[in-house]
Amino acid sequence: MKAASPFVVNKMETRYVDNDEDNYSDASSSLAPNGSVVSTVPDRHGFLGGAQYLNESKHMISANKTIERERKWLNMTANWDKQMIRSFKKVQNRCRKGIPQSIRPRAWLYLTKANKLLDQKKNLYFKLCDQPGDRKWIEDIRKDLHRQFPYHEMFVDQDGTGQKELFNVLKAYTILNPVIGYCQAQAPIAAFLLMHMPAEQAFWCFVSICDDYLCDYYSPGMETLIRDGNILFALLKEREPKIYKLLKKQSIDPIMYMTEWFLCAFTRTLPWPTLLRFWDIFLFDGVKTFFKMGLIMIKISLPEKSYSDLKKRFPTMCETLEALRNPPLHMLEEERIIKKLILLEIPEDTFKYYHMQQSSLRRKTKETKKIRETDVF
């Protein structure tokens, strides 16, 4: 199994370049500031303040190039199924370069296959909205509405359209999938989607993400999340043994720092321009993108080169968890992170190996538990 450091930019990584004349750096925008500003005028993403507010934007794409890239995406979505069969790598490449803002809602709809759900189940969303829903879930949802991006113009007003639509999307999902119901971590994902598309489209994208991309993440007990946390830890041992050793010595389980990353699909973690680009890639490549971003987040949060330096800077669990939960914002800048994400290769066989390993361990644990329960009775 390959264990070479994935964070070194390899000059041989030319397979990500296609014949398009634009490159990855063309899609960059700006750094996220510290969020101390509250404005009466929203930034270009709709934020009036908070950590996601952008004082200014660095537009690095010319109008002509933007139009050209939009045209390419419109052509792709017009023949989407054929493009995914015949030009799979090209579609992936263009997702990695960043989807044009004006095309993003349409592209995300197709990437998640929510367009097919929308066609197959016309008007079902509105019928679900008209139903009362389970009182337990309704109360939980209402408690969380005001917490979702409160500085965004769409959600700043408690009685505004944004919070009403967010309530409807979350309630409708609990009726469609009563086994899962509602999990607090779903709310920022639904809110994020509503910022980009109409409620009905956002709902079916949300359904696809919860039921397909993040299948079983929100199930009671969250066994799938725990399994994936252990897989992340195994990948860390392989890629960054010094950091792995520190976390192991301090008894820091993955669930203590990666839960919000994975459950919220990084919507509460990454600066907005970086988050948009991350989702462009995530919706194409799937949940393996979480593991890649997770490794990058750990690496930039605990940057010391030697184990002794790590121990000096992060002597206890307290300092280590604080660093993991608050990565340096300047290191999360769009251009920097997206390049790392693209160049970080984790073979499919590696994922399969660790998945089988963790599934086997979980089965053995359950069997042992059953034996102990039998012995008690």
Side-chain angles (χ1 to χ4, degrees):
M1 193 176 294
K2 227 173 179 181
S5 175
F7 298 101
V8 178
V9 176
N10 190 333
K11 292 180 181 178
M12 297 300 291
E13 294 285 347
T14 56
R15 60 185 175 277
Y16 295 114
V17 179
D18 63 14
N19 294 324
D20 296 343
E21 58 183 50
D22 51 333
N23 55 41
Y24 298 114
S25 62
D26 289 330
S28 64
S29 52
S30 63
L31 291 170
N34 60 18
S36 60
V37 176
V38 176
S39 173
T40 55
V41 180
D43 67 7
R44 67 191 178 99
H45 297 297
F47 286 96
L48 296 160
Q52 295 289 11
Y53 180 78
L54 299 175
N55 283 315
E56 59 182 20
S57 302
K58 294 188 287 185
H59 295 282
M60 299 184 69
I61 306 177
S62 68
N64 288 338
K65 186 166 285 188
T66 298
I67 292 169
E68 176 63 17
R69 292 177 66 229
E70 289 171 344
R71 182 186 63 77
K72 290 175 182 177
W73 269 98
L74 286 171
N75 288 339
M76 283 199 307
T77 54
N79 300 281
W80 186 255
D81 290 338
K82 288 181 180 178
Q83 289 287 342
M84 288 296 285
I85 295 170
R86 298 176 183 175
S87 306
F88 183 86
K89 197 67 180 178
K90 182 187 284 186
V91 179
Q92 182 185 50
N93 222 12
R94 288 178 178 170
C95 287
R96 289 176 170 187
K97 291 178 181 181
I99 302 170
Q101 183 68 23
S102 62
I103 305 297
R104 191 167 268 133
R106 182 182 178 91
W108 285 4
L109 200 66
Y110 280 79
L111 285 166
T112 58
K113 299 180 182 177
N115 63 310
K116 294 184 178 180
L117 292 174
L118 197 60
D119 290 339
Q120 293 165 6
K121 304 181 180 184
K122 285 182 179 177
N123 298 320
L124 176 58
Y125 168 67
F126 300 106
K127 291 176 183 177
L128 294 171
C129 288
D130 289 338
Q131 296 180 37
D134 188 300
R135 186 175 177 181
K136 177 188 181 302
W137 299 129
I138 298 301
E139 290 176 357
D140 288 346
I141 291 168
R142 289 197 186 281
K143 289 175 187 175
D144 291 336
L145 292 178
H146 70 284
R147 300 188 179 108
Q148 312 312 318
F149 307 106
Y151 288 103
H152 193 275
E153 60 181 350
M154 191 170 180
F155 302 108
V156 71
D157 184 359
Q158 189 172 352
D159 298 315
T161 303
Q163 289 202 25
K164 289 177 181 177
E165 289 184 343
L166 178 58
F167 171 79
N168 283 333
V169 167
L170 295 171
K171 182 191 78 169
Y173 182 79
T174 66
I175 299 169
L176 183 72
N177 192 342
V179 175
I180 299 298
Y182 170 69
C183 173
Q184 191 176 50
Q186 293 174 315
I189 294 176
F192 180 63
L193 290 167
L194 282 167
M195 293 179 197
H196 294 91
M197 58 189 72
E200 187 182 19
Q201 294 181 12
F203 172 73
W204 290 114
C205 278
F206 180 70
V207 170
S208 178
I209 288 164
C210 292
D211 294 356
D212 185 10
Y213 287 78
L214 308 183
C215 181
D216 293 331
Y217 265 32
Y218 306 111
S219 299
M222 294 185 177
E223 289 186 0
T224 301
L225 180 73
I226 294 169
R227 179 204 68 195
D228 284 359
N230 291 334
I231 291 173
L232 177 65
F233 205 42
L235 289 167
L236 185 69
K237 182 179 182 180
E238 177 186 312
R239 304 297 177 111
E240 297 293 336
K242 298 182 295 297
I243 297 176
Y244 170 84
K245 183 179 178 181
L246 179 76
L247 299 181
K248 190 76 173 175
K249 288 274 188 182
Q250 294 180 353
S251 300
I252 298 176
D253 292 328
I255 207 75
M256 299 169 75
Y257 55 85
M258 54 74 70
T259 299
E260 186 173 85
W261 297 350
F262 280 44
L263 281 185
C264 299
F266 290 88
T267 55
R268 290 190 173 278
T269 307
L270 298 173
W272 211 251
T274 309
L275 178 63
L276 294 174
R277 294 284 304 283
F278 171 77
W279 264 61
D280 291 344
I281 298 170
F282 156 56
L283 293 183
F284 186 94
D285 288 343
V287 77
K288 68 180 181 182
T289 317
F290 285 14
F291 295 93
K292 293 167 70 174
M293 183 59 79
L295 289 173
I296 293 169
M297 296 284 287
I298 295 168
K299 172 77 173 178
I300 65 175
S301 298
L302 306 172
E304 299 303 324
K305 292 182 179 180
S306 69
Y307 177 68
S308 59
D309 287 341
L310 280 169
K311 278 179 63 180
K312 287 176 186 176
R313 187 170 172 184
F314 309 104
T316 69
M317 176 190 287
C318 183
E319 290 85 4
T320 305
L321 283 176
E322 179 69 18
L324 288 168
R325 291 168 180 169
N326 298 281
L329 276 179
H330 72 279
M331 294 296 290
L332 298 178
E333 185 268 330
E334 172 191 349
E335 185 66 13
R336 183 195 300 260
I337 286 292
I338 296 303
K339 280 186 176 179
K340 286 182 181 292
L341 188 68
I342 291 168
L343 294 172
L344 174 47
E345 285 293 316
I346 303 176
E348 287 294 331
D349 288 346
T350 301
F351 277 115
K352 288 178 182 177
Y353 171 77
Y354 287 130
H355 185 278
M356 290 175 62
Q357 183 188 64
Q358 290 302 319
S359 297
S360 176
L361 286 171
R362 186 165 60 173
R363 281 196 301 272
K364 288 178 182 177
T365 301
K366 285 183 177 180
E367 289 169 4
T368 303
K369 187 177 178 182
K370 280 184 181 179
I371 292 170
R372 287 173 179 171
E373 288 173 351
T374 305
D375 288 344
V376 169
F377 295 104

